[in-house]
Amino acid sequence: MVAQEPNGELGSPSEQALQRLSELVRRVNSSADTTDVLEEIANGVHEVLGYGVAAISQLEGDALVMVAAAGPEDVRAQILGRRTKAVNILDEFRAADHWGILRYVPHGRMDPAHLDNIWTPDIEPSDDPEAWHPEDALYAPLYSATGELLGNMAVDLPPGLRLPSQAERELLEMFVVQAGLALSNAQQRERLARQVHLGAILREVAQSGSRVGLEAMLASATEAINRGFDAVRTWVSCARDRDGGPETSVAYPAGEVQPPTCEPLRADLLVTAWPAGLPVPVAVTDTEIPLLPTSLEKVQESLQEAGAGHGVVVPVGNGQEMFGYLGIGLREQQKPLRPDELDALTEVARELGRMVQSARLFETEQRLVSELRELDRYKGELIATISHELKTPLTTIIGHVELLEDQQVGGRSVQAIRRNANRLDRLIQNLLNYAQVQERRGSVRRRVDLVELADSAIELLSQQAESGGVEVSFDRPPGRVEATGDPDELGTVLNNLIGNAVKYTRAGGRVVVEVGLAEALVHVTVADNGIGISRVDRSHLFSTFHRSSNPEALSLPGTGLGLAISRRIAEGHGGRIEVDSTLGRGSTFRLVLPAPAT
Ligand code: ADP
């Protein structure tokens, strides 16, 4: 016969403790409210394990703060919320006996200075070595899985007022493990939430980079940083260009207080913080900060003016270069930024560095573009003036040559004058065209039939084609192919493209012109099987006065302006000119324009 366990055993203290424990395990793993869970653990230790007082503290910064307590109401009221420097408790642990994960500090061993800070029960000391002494302390440090101190459990008045037995300690340890887990879970949840939050700030700051202009970027970034870190003020000060030129300082909230100037703090951080890429936490009252006294004073002054008690400054730069710094001011009662927040702030400063860098590049680019425009305008003006000045005497020369020809005073010399005067005339006409295209913005815009324009150009060039022995054929589409633009300008482009094809094709060659429409684009394609253009020459084809290096091309009259003019016209119409050519085989030029909206 198997003896029946007495029923009372089910309700034994250890049985109850295990039952309570299993409930707690469920709670620890499911509950998000850490204080509630810690409260339940303390209650379990008090009610089930029979300790008169059980209290759990949590690490906040460098202090352990009592967050849960079980025991008489007046004792709870006394100890809840109490802050103890973590180092003091760690000191006590060093003096303690190790009972597994528990730390027992027998009376008399504790630093008397600490005794004032802790609650001591009102019981009579006894001579019995197994009796609990009012100045005995029993703790359990609560560590995370990675060994960080997260909190501490302290118990007092053990059951029967005697030093707990091995079995009692083991039960207590089980509760301690649950408290450690609850704090560990809370830490992980908090870290995760912070990471999500910091990631969101970083994303917002990065988005500010899409604004136009450095000030607008910084205004939007400082607002996001200020909100994200719940700061009183955030500012960025940086030098606007490389040579220590003008400075830009942007603060949020803008307020009446001007953000501090970039120098001398920039120069200081350049030596102190920039090489290591570290943020520098600054407190208004602290003098032990690794900054030069003058710059430290300025930062502290501006933190104070903004109503901040402390803050952080971080260098802002990109690559090797440091431009300035980011400063944030926090309220006195706000906790100093944690390491992961400081890391995020460093990342934010890097993002700002990228912004300043791209704004600087953009500004340089803008300056160059406007200088180039000015130069271009000047060039156009110069060309127009000179061409006009040349045109008048040349017209006179041509007039007189014609007179001489009429009077039959011909001869080779007059022919040579005539040929070269005509050449000069073409050049001047081209130059004038070029200057005109440059100047003419918003020229006449209307529906133009490219088929008709191609017809006229082919007609105009037919004589030249015939005498050069080049056959020009037109692959004519069935109807009109329209573009919107200036008919004269577009006519000039077709004359140039078809004219070049005829000119740079040997006798017996062929030029095919084609006009068409494809996917909202209209095009005129001029293909020849002429001398072709080398790869090197193709890359300069549209530069003014560029002529191919090919001697065969150079032997033909030309100014190197036709394609430059044509490209300008095409671009002025929202289009482009494409080229495909093989030296010795032929070339295809294509004018592509947007088809007009129907
Ligand atoms: P140009 O008055 O010299 O013809 P363009 O600007 O029209 O000036 O053309 C620039 C250069 O490009 C020409 O000098 C010629 O060398 C080359 N080129 C243009 N079109 C052709 C073509 N269809 N075939 C071969 N070379 C061409």
Side-chain angles (χ1 to χ4, degrees):
M1 220 177 102
V2 177
Q4 187 117 19
E5 286 284 331
N7 272 347
E9 193 59 21
L10 282 172
S12 75
S14 67
E15 190 72 19
Q16 275 178 21
L18 290 176
Q19 204 170 347
R20 187 72 166 256
L21 208 57
S22 80
E23 280 163 28
L24 280 174
V25 171
R26 254 202 321 278
R27 289 277 285 139
V28 167
N29 289 317
S30 65
S31 174
D33 190 340
T34 317
T35 321
D36 267 7
V37 178
L38 294 178
E39 199 73 51
E40 280 184 41
I41 295 172
N43 281 337
V45 174
H46 172 58
E47 289 162 12
V48 187
L49 302 190
Y51 289 81
V53 175
I56 303 173
S57 56
Q58 192 173 3
L59 191 71
E60 274 183 21
D62 57 359
L64 283 160
V65 182
M66 203 62 87
V67 287
E73 205 38 58
D74 58 326
V75 179
R76 289 188 71 231
Q78 266 185 60
I79 61 177
L80 269 178
R82 218 182 241 199
R83 299 175 81 86
T84 320
K85 284 231 173 232
V87 279
N88 292 350
I89 301 260
L90 290 171
D91 266 357
E92 284 180 37
F93 291 163
R94 258 177 236 119
D97 289 346
H98 288 214
W99 288 355
I101 55 172
L102 307 177
R103 298 288 176 269
Y104 168 58
V105 190
H107 59 280
R109 220 187 270 175
M110 190 180 292
D111 183 345
H114 294 170
L115 268 180
D116 301 342
N117 261 340
I118 58 171
W119 174 83
T120 2
D122 193 9
I123 51 167
E124 281 305 314
S126 138
D127 292 339
D128 179 353
E130 290 304 305
W132 184 256
H133 186 279
E135 287 176 9
D136 279 351
L138 184 53
Y139 301 119
L142 307 173
Y143 288 107
S144 72
T146 52
E148 276 172 86
L149 181 72
L150 298 179
N152 182 36
M153 187 194 284
V155 290
D156 213 318
L157 301 173
L161 293 182
R162 305 189 64 76
L163 294 183
S165 67
Q166 183 61 31
E168 283 169 329
R169 292 179 209 169
E170 279 169 12
L171 276 178
L172 180 59
E173 280 183 332
M174 290 186 198
F175 281 76
V176 167
V177 167
Q178 292 311 313
L181 277 176
L183 286 182
S184 229
N185 288 350
Q187 185 198 37
Q188 266 172 19
R189 272 196 304 269
E190 199 188 315
R191 273 207 186 137
L192 203 66
R194 251 198 340 265
Q195 266 167 20
V196 170
H197 176 68
L198 294 173
I201 304 175
L202 204 62
R203 257 197 315 283
E204 254 199 86
V205 171
Q207 275 164 6
S208 310
S210 60
R211 309 222 164 201
V212 179
L214 184 57
E215 267 79 13
M217 284 186 204
L218 296 182
S220 148
T222 46
E223 194 272 330
I225 301 167
N226 203 70
R227 183 160 32 82
F229 286 93
D230 194 21
V232 263
R233 194 155 202 238
T234 300
W235 73 97
V236 180
S237 292
C238 56
R240 242 201 135 95
D241 54 42
R242 231 166 223 286
D243 327 310
E247 293 180 353
T248 300
S249 289
V250 174
Y252 185 88
E256 284 175 8
V257 192
Q258 276 298 308
T261 52
C262 184
E263 303 293 352
L265 183 58
R266 191 195 73 89
D268 189 350
L269 288 171
L270 185 62
V271 191
T272 48
W274 175 242
L278 291 177
V280 182
V282 180
V284 170
T285 46
D286 201 343
T287 49
E288 301 284 301
I289 292 166
L291 290 176
L292 293 176
T294 34
S295 37
L296 176 60
E297 241 169 59
K298 280 213 158 45
V299 179
Q300 289 179 324
E301 219 175 78
S302 61
L303 285 175
Q304 229 161 5
E305 275 171 345
H310 59 116
V312 182
V313 285
V314 203
V316 167
N318 190 266
Q320 298 291 311
E321 210 189 337
M322 187 192 147
F323 309 130
Y325 67 95
L326 157 72
I328 72 168
L330 301 165
R331 266 175 288 278
E332 179 136 29
Q333 61 278 22
Q334 255 170 301
K335 289 184 205 154
L337 297 187
R338 294 162 191 265
D340 56 350
E341 290 172 315
L342 289 174
D343 284 350
L345 204 62
T346 311
E347 195 45 53
V348 161
R350 258 185 228 132
E351 193 58 51
L352 292 174
R354 283 190 276 272
M355 265 180 223
V356 176
Q357 172 78 349
S358 72
R360 280 182 174 192
L361 284 178
F362 182 71
E363 279 176 14
T364 315
E365 229 167 67
Q366 293 285 97
R367 208 174 40 241
L368 282 179
V369 166
S370 72
E371 278 171 17
L372 280 177
R373 273 212 186 107
E374 179 54 22
L375 211 65
D376 212 32
R377 196 194 56 76
Y378 176 70
K379 187 174 78 181
E381 239 176 58
L382 196 71
I383 292 175
T385 319
I386 295 176
S387 317
H388 271 294
E389 294 304 311
L390 290 174
K391 184 105 187 150
T392 325
L394 189 64
T395 315
T396 317
I397 293 172
I398 292 176
H400 283 280
V401 171
E402 276 169 6
L403 264 179
L404 287 176
E405 283 171 345
D406 286 350
Q407 290 162 16
Q408 313 287 317
V409 194
R412 287 185 54 209
S413 300
V414 175
Q415 272 172 21
I417 295 174
R418 170 70 174 198
R419 220 180 25 253
N420 284 292
N422 281 345
R423 207 168 147 186
L424 263 182
D425 192 43
R426 269 200 308 275
L427 170 64
I428 291 170
Q429 196 48 53
N430 266 338
L431 282 171
L432 279 172
N433 276 346
Y434 177 74
Q436 234 169 35
V437 172
Q438 247 201 339
E439 206 155 87
R440 204 165 356 147
R441 305 245 180 265
S443 49
V444 212
R445 288 284 147 111
R446 58 181 162 84
R447 289 286 174 106
V448 184
D449 180 14
L450 295 176
V451 179
E452 202 178 291
L453 283 189
D455 264 335
S456 326
I458 293 168
E459 166 72 31
L460 188 77
L461 292 157
S462 59
Q463 176 91 45
Q464 193 183 328
E466 204 175 303
S467 61
V470 177
E471 186 202 334
V472 180
S473 59
F474 186 12
D475 197 354
R476 180 190 297 278
R480 289 164 66 89
V481 174
E482 290 188 333
T484 309
D486 180 329
D488 289 343
E489 285 189 350
L490 293 176
T492 304
V493 178
L494 296 197
N495 289 346
N496 278 336
L497 297 185
I498 303 171
N500 279 346
V502 168
K503 183 163 65 171
Y504 298 110
T505 300
R506 301 181 191 107
R510 207 169 161 232
V511 173
V512 180
V513 181
E514 188 220 323
V515 176
L517 165 88
E519 291 175 11
L521 294 173
V522 289
H523 65 93
V524 180
T525 306
V526 182
D528 65 58
N529 59 356
I531 63 172
I533 309 161
S534 72
R535 197 167 49 84
V536 177
D537 282 327
R538 275 204 305 278
S539 56
H540 304 290
L541 216 50
F542 295 95
S543 315
T544 38
F545 301 111
H546 173 80
R547 303 206 63 209
S548 298
S549 47
N550 178 0
E552 199 176 347
L554 282 175
S555 69
L556 298 160
T559 59
L561 275 171
L563 287 180
I565 294 172
S566 301
R567 180 160 81 171
R568 274 176 184 268
I569 294 177
E571 287 175 355
H573 283 74
R576 60 179 187 271
I577 294 180
E578 298 168 352
V579 194
D580 190 11
S581 182
T582 312
L583 190 62
R585 304 270 295 273
S587 315
T588 302
F589 283 79
R590 174 175 287 135
L591 165 69
V592 183
L593 296 169
T598 41

